[in-house]
Amino acid sequence: MKVISVSAAPAPADQVSDWLAEQQPAMLALLEEVVNIDSGSYDKAGVDAVGERFKRFFAEHGIETTTIPDETYGEAIKAHVAGSGGANKPILLMGHRDTVFPRGEVARRPFRIENGRAYGPGVCDMKAGLVINAFVLAAYHKFGGAPAPLLGLITSDEEIGSPACRPIIEETAREARAVFNSEPGRPSGNIVTGRKGGVFMQMNIHGKAAHSGGNFAQGASAIGALAHKIIALHAITDIEAGITVNVGLIRGGQSVNTVAPLAECEIDLRYITPDQREAAMARIAEIVAAEDVAGTRAELMIKGEFHPLVQDDGSKELFGVYQKAMAENGVTVEGEFAGGCADSGFTASVGCPTLCATGPVGGKAHSPEEYMEVETMVPRAQGIARAIAGLGARG
Ligand SMILES: [Zn+2]
C-alpha cells in the first residue's frame, strides 16, 4: 500500500522567528561573501559566482534549487521549499543579485561594517535582501515548511531592465499567491507599495551630410532636428502629475565642418499610471515623426521597460498582513511611493499581490556611500516570515 503522506502542520511562526533571531552573525558572514564578489549586470561570470554561493547555501540547508541558464546574462535561480499547510500556490521571495558597479569595485571598497552600518557594492541593493530571503527559506525548511510552498527567485539583470529574467519573473508571478521583493527598505524603515513605471528609449535621426562651407544648403542637420526634439520631449514633463522625460545621452555629427548626417539620443520616461504611459508615448511618437528640419527623419526604439507598481486590492491586503506581522515584532511600517523602478512592477502587472522593499533598511544605492543598517536584517527577515504565516492563516 502506498501511503500518501499527509504533511505535518506548518512550522509555527514563533519557532521560525526565534531561529532567525539567532542568525545575524551567519547572515552577515554570507552577506560579506556575496558583496565581495563583483557582479555588475554585464559581468556574467561574477553574477553567476554570486549565484553559486547562494546555491551552496541552499544545498547546505537541504533546499532544492533549479537554474535557468542564459547565454548572455547570469542564470536565474529558483529555490523550492515545500508547503505543509495544504495551500498550493507558492509565495514568492524575490530579488536580484546584479549590481550597477564595474569589475574592480570590490577591490576598491570591500565589505565593511562601521557604526552599525554595512558598506560595499550592492550591500543593500540588494544582496542583503537576498540573504534574508535565503534565511527565511532555510528557517521554514528546517521547521517543517510554510503554510504554502515557498519559492525563492534570484534574478541576474534587474539593474539593466531585466532583459533575460523578465519573462521568468512574469511567468513565476502568474502562478504565485504573493510576492515579497526584498529591495532595500526605505531609510525611514518603510516599504514600497507604489513605484513609477519607466520606458528607456533610443531615437536615431538621419539627416544629410554636406560641406558646411561649400554647399550648406544641400545638407539636412540631424543635430538641428535633435535640438528641436529635445525641447519638445522635455516639455512632456509634468512634475505634479509624476511624469518626467529625461534625454540623458546625446551623440551626433561627423565633423565641425559637416552638416550633421546623424544624431541620436537616449530618452527616459517615468510615469505613475498606465494611462499616463499611453498619453506620453503617443506624444513622443508625434515628436519623432515631426520633420523639424526639412530632409531629416527619425526613428524610435524601446530598449527596456519597467511597469509601474500599482497597489491593487490584493496588494493592499498583503500590505495589511505584512504591517501586522511587523507590529508583532514591535516595528511600525508604512507604505511609501518610490520613483525608482524595480521588478516588483512586473509581478504586480500580472496581477500578483506584491510588496517591494521588504529587505533590510538601507540607502544611497548606486553610490559609493551605499549602506545597510545591520540591526534591521533580523527584524526584516522575521517580518517576511510572520507575514508568510499570516497569509497561511487566511487560507
Ligand atoms: Zn535593486
Side-chain angles (χ1 to χ4, degrees):
M1 189 179 84
K2 189 161 191 263
V3 177
I4 296 166
S5 68
V6 176
S7 30
D14 285 339
Q15 210 173 4
V16 166
S17 193
D18 289 351
W19 183 76
L20 287 170
E22 305 292 306
Q23 301 307 310
Q24 186 181 292
M27 288 177 181
L28 283 172
L30 178 60
L31 181 62
E32 173 165 11
E33 278 190 61
V34 291
V35 167
N36 281 341
I37 302 170
D38 281 314
S39 61
S41 310
Y42 296 104
D43 180 358
K44 177 173 167 59
V47 174
D48 280 340
V50 175
E52 285 305 319
R53 183 61 192 92
F54 277 106
K55 282 200 270 185
R56 210 171 86 220
F57 174 90
F58 290 125
E60 284 162 3
H61 288 81
I63 295 171
E64 231 177 88
T65 54
T66 49
T67 51
I68 302 152
D70 192 273
E71 277 181 18
T72 311
Y73 305 104
E75 61 192 19
I77 299 166
K78 288 182 178 179
H80 310 267
V81 174
S84 59
N88 50 25
K89 273 183 107 180
I91 295 168
L92 180 57
L93 308 188
M94 190 169 81
H96 66 86
R97 65 189 192 280
D98 59 318
T99 74
V100 296
F101 300 104
R103 193 156 265 258
E105 191 77 5
V106 167
R108 280 189 288 278
R109 46 182 195 93
F111 180 86
R112 70 175 211 281
I113 297 175
E114 226 176 87
N115 299 324
R117 287 181 167 183
Y119 297 87
V123 68
C124 78
D125 183 12
M126 58 176 283
K127 288 175 174 175
L130 291 176
V131 166
I132 67 163
N133 282 357
F135 274 82
V136 170
L137 292 166
Y140 270 110
H141 181 76
K142 187 177 170 68
F143 294 110
L150 301 180
L151 184 58
L153 176 62
I154 304 183
T155 67
S156 60
D157 55 356
E158 191 268 354
E159 297 292 1
I160 52 170
S162 304
C165 289
R166 177 180 169 176
I168 299 165
I169 291 166
E170 289 175 335
E171 185 191 304
T172 312
R174 265 188 208 104
E175 305 295 317
R177 185 170 161 201
V179 174
F180 296 89
N181 191 35
S182 293
E183 288 279 359
R186 313 296 286 171
S188 59
N190 289 339
I191 66 163
V192 171
T193 46
R195 279 187 188 275
K196 283 190 179 182
V199 188
F200 314 109
M201 294 160 274
Q202 172 157 349
M203 178 170 59
N204 294 343
I205 303 175
H206 307 272
K208 192 166 182 296
H211 193 292
S212 61
N215 52 355
F216 181 88
Q218 310 286 299
S221 174
I223 288 179
L226 175 60
H228 284 278
K229 290 186 196 299
I230 291 171
I231 301 290
L233 287 166
H234 279 185
I236 296 171
T237 294
D238 182 342
I239 298 286
E240 209 100 299
I243 303 164
T244 59
V245 174
N246 180 56
V247 177
L249 287 168
I250 57 169
R251 289 174 289 267
Q254 182 178 300
S255 71
V256 69
N257 58 353
T258 305
V259 176
L262 252 178
E264 53 188 60
C265 69
E266 291 188 36
I267 308 161
D268 173 324
L269 162 69
R270 304 290 170 118
Y271 62 94
I272 297 174
T273 66
D275 289 356
Q276 290 176 335
R277 181 195 181 282
E278 290 312 300
M281 290 304 288
R283 178 68 190 121
I284 290 170
E286 284 171 15
I287 293 166
V288 172
E291 193 178 342
D292 310 282
V293 173
T296 61
R297 65 180 174 82
E299 70 214 1
L300 185 79
M301 285 146 300
I302 294 179
K303 295 181 75 180
E305 173 150 19
F306 276 113
H307 288 174
L309 173 58
V310 182
Q311 194 181 32
D312 61 7
D313 288 346
S315 295
K316 236 176 242 168
E317 206 181 322
L318 180 62
F319 178 62
V321 171
Y322 181 78
Q323 227 175 4
K324 193 163 160 272
M326 287 299 277
E328 283 171 39
N329 285 339
V331 184
T332 309
V333 176
E334 299 296 336
E336 279 184 25
F337 189 86
C341 300
D343 283 333
S344 46
F346 295 134
T347 60
S349 298
V350 300
C352 188
T354 298
L355 293 183
C356 198
T358 51
V361 171
K364 307 241 169 101
H366 298 199
S367 85
E369 291 86 43
E370 178 185 6
Y371 68 89
M372 188 273 301
E373 305 278 7
V374 170
E375 292 302 321
T376 65
M377 289 189 93
V378 165
R380 300 295 267 205
Q382 289 170 322
I384 296 170
R386 286 191 184 278
I388 289 168
L391 280 172
R394 301 160 76 92

